[in-house]
Amino acid sequence: MHIMQTALTDSAKEAAYILNSGGVVAFPTETVYGLGAGIDNPEAIRQLFHAKGRPGDNPLIVHIYSLEQLPDVADDINQSARLLIERFFPGPLTLVLKKNQRVPYSVTAGLETVGVRCPANPLAREFLSYCSSPVAAPSANLSGLPSATSWETVYEDLQGKINAVLRGKPSAIGLESTIVDCSCSVPILLRAGAITLEQLQAVLPAIIVNTPTDTQEAPKSPGLKYPHYAPKASIRLLQTNDTITTGPSSGYIGLSAPPEGVLLFKICHDLEEYGRELFSFFRHCDALGINVIYCELPANKGIGRAIRDRLIRASESH
Ligand code: AMP
Ligand code: MG
């Protein structure tokens, strides 16, 4: 592939200038780093898929900086969507809505719907406000690897393949956005995230949880069928009270004390820290050549639901 110089910048204005000139630019958000291209620029969208090695049938989330831009990307905002927008925008929530004709099918992977998010991170909003169109952005990592939660990780994965990285702080949440499909009459939770099912139920008591099956003809959220979040090491899930014998090259992350004999461990004080540290811990283990990572499986509630989801999917990738 064509190797390009990847600029590192701390200026939202400069990063937006590069995007507005047709570039592919990574930027920080509160969930994970995003890899952006203008939705009106088909060549940049093509390069974005290419740089990540992302399959073309995995749709991108469109990022807006304010609700003023919503009519540019989505039509038919129903009552469920309105309630969620009022309560959770800007923030770590993506809504799937009927797409506006301005959004190309290359962004939605041929779907009539579009994922829309308005991030809360101030640098992300400043960057998006300088961009001349809404910005399509998947996570800024090589496809299949854990999402990048720091600019250094973005650079490691995508250096030479993208035009620029806007350097911000490490992601405050560290897990990808919650996704709710509001394009049909009953809202559906497609992906768990920092906005929890319990918080969503408080606003929309009728919300249902998507349970994907292999036999589903058209998966509700196409990207969910791909392996995700996986480090090179294999992931072993630990339930409370499991006793294990660790090998010589293993790691551990969780809330409880680590098993004896692990080479590297991270004890998190709460689930928020667990979510924030998970992907960077995976990457740290890979850098040290660790081949098994033991991960404590949290209960299926609150943000624990999102951590479980990522852990289970990472454990199924090998
Ligand atoms: P990423 O930004 O890498 O976390 O990937 C975005 C994910 O959002 C995709 O893998 C899909 O699962 C989901 N997504 C984006 N747009 C849609 C849509 N129109 N309908 C359903 N899911 C979507
Ligand atoms: Mg991703």
Side-chain angles (χ1 to χ4, degrees), residues 187-192 197 201 206-212 300 305:
I188 309 171
L189 174 63
L190 296 181
R191 178 171 76 185
L197 177 61
Q201 282 167 332
I207 190 168
I208 57 175
V209 178
N210 186 43
T211 40
N300 204 17
R305 178 179 287 272

Side-chain angles (χ1 to χ4, degrees), residues 32-33 52 54 58 137-148 176 191 223 227-229:
V32 298
Y33 271 67
K52 274 193 63 123
R54 184 173 176 103
N58 191 354
S139 52
N141 52 280
L142 288 175
S143 223
L145 292 187
S147 296
E176 303 80 358
R191 178 171 76 185
H228 257 82
Y229 320 121

Side-chain angles (χ1 to χ4, degrees), residues 140-159:
N141 52 280
L142 288 175
S143 223
L145 292 187
S147 296
T149 56
S150 68
W151 71 261
E152 291 92 339
T153 309
V154 176
Y155 196 64
E156 256 168 52
D157 269 19
L158 297 170
Q159 178 190 7

Side-chain angles (χ1 to χ4, degrees), residues 79-97:
Q79 181 64 7
S80 313
R82 268 182 235 285
L83 290 169
L84 292 180
I85 287 168
E86 204 173 292
R87 174 73 179 79
F88 299 114
F89 271 31
L93 176 68
T94 296
L95 297 184
V96 172
L97 302 166

Side-chain angles (χ1 to χ4, degrees), residues 98-278:
K98 183 166 179 299
K99 82 171 193 71
N100 178 274
Q101 59 175 15
R102 182 171 171 190
V103 181
Y105 286 112
S106 55
V107 167
T108 68
L111 299 172
E112 292 301 332
T113 55
V114 59
V116 183
R117 183 160 104 80
C118 181
N121 175 300
L123 193 55
R125 294 190 76 187
E126 189 190 352
F127 166 68
L128 293 171
S129 75
Y130 290 127
C131 291
S132 52
S133 71
V135 172
S139 52
N141 52 280
L142 288 175
S143 223
L145 292 187
S147 296
T149 56
S150 68
W151 71 261
E152 291 92 339
T153 309
V154 176
Y155 196 64
E156 256 168 52
D157 269 19
L158 297 170
Q159 178 190 7
K161 298 180 172 179
I162 63 174
N163 299 91
V165 179
L166 174 57
R167 293 186 293 200
K169 296 193 184 113
S171 306
I173 293 172
L175 299 169
E176 303 80 358
S177 58
T178 304
I179 305 182
V180 177
D181 186 353
C182 286
S183 67
C184 27
S185 51
V186 182
I188 309 171
L189 174 63
L190 296 181
R191 178 171 76 185
I195 304 288
T196 65
L197 177 61
E198 294 81 354
Q199 285 175 295
L200 296 167
Q201 282 167 332
V203 178
L204 298 178
I207 190 168
I208 57 175
V209 178
N210 186 43
T211 40
T213 61
D214 292 341
T215 52
Q216 223 172 326
E217 266 175 32
K220 275 270 169 221
S221 196
L224 300 183
K225 71 182 180 213
Y226 288 107
H228 257 82
Y229 320 121
K232 293 191 194 86
S234 4
I235 300 298
R236 304 271 165 76
L237 306 177
L238 286 183
Q239 316 269 3
T240 321
N241 301 329
D242 276 354
T243 45
I244 49 154
T245 318
T246 58
S249 168
S250 53
Y252 165 83
I253 183 165
L255 299 177
S256 317
E260 261 177 48
V262 291
L263 194 66
L264 182 73
F265 63 84
K266 171 84 199 164
I267 304 172
C268 306
H269 295 106
D270 53 28
L271 289 172
E272 280 68 30
E273 189 185 6
Y274 196 169
R276 189 163 56 243
E277 296 295 332
L278 182 64

